[in-house]
Amino acid sequence: MHDYMKALHARFCREPELQKVRAELDRAYREIKAKLVQQDQETLLQLTDLENELREETSLASFIAGFQ
């Protein structure tokens, strides 16, 4: 069931473009990354990956809740 809802979510839910916000986020990310040592950069990448995963799961949970 979870896979089915995930497929429906991917098919019908589109995230807003938000190009200006994405550009600002990318700029801030690059600025922070330039100031960090290698170990801190890896931690920053892990944080970013986890944040993206959390957003995807939250979006899917919200989509599923809409059917209930």
Side-chain angles (χ1 to χ4, degrees):
M1 178 72 164
H2 183 73
D3 291 336
Y4 177 73
M5 294 305 284
K6 199 170 185 176
L8 281 176
H9 177 263
R11 171 78 168 91
F12 294 107
C13 287
R14 298 290 179 235
E15 297 297 323
E17 290 289 325
L18 303 173
Q19 292 176 354
K20 185 177 180 180
V21 174
R22 290 183 193 274
E24 182 65 22
L25 179 64
D26 187 53
R27 184 201 59 76
Y29 171 79
R30 290 178 191 276
E31 186 178 314
I32 290 171
K33 186 178 177 189
K35 296 178 181 179
L36 297 176
V37 296
Q38 181 64 32
Q39 185 178 359
D40 292 335
Q41 287 181 10
E42 291 171 8
T43 303
L44 180 62
L45 287 174
Q46 288 175 342
L47 178 64
T48 303
D49 289 342
L50 290 171
E51 183 180 20
N52 287 336
E53 185 178 336
L54 181 60
R55 281 188 183 135
E56 289 175 11
E57 288 299 318
T58 302
S59 179
L60 178 60
S62 176
F63 180 78
I64 292 171
F67 279 100
Q68 296 174 345

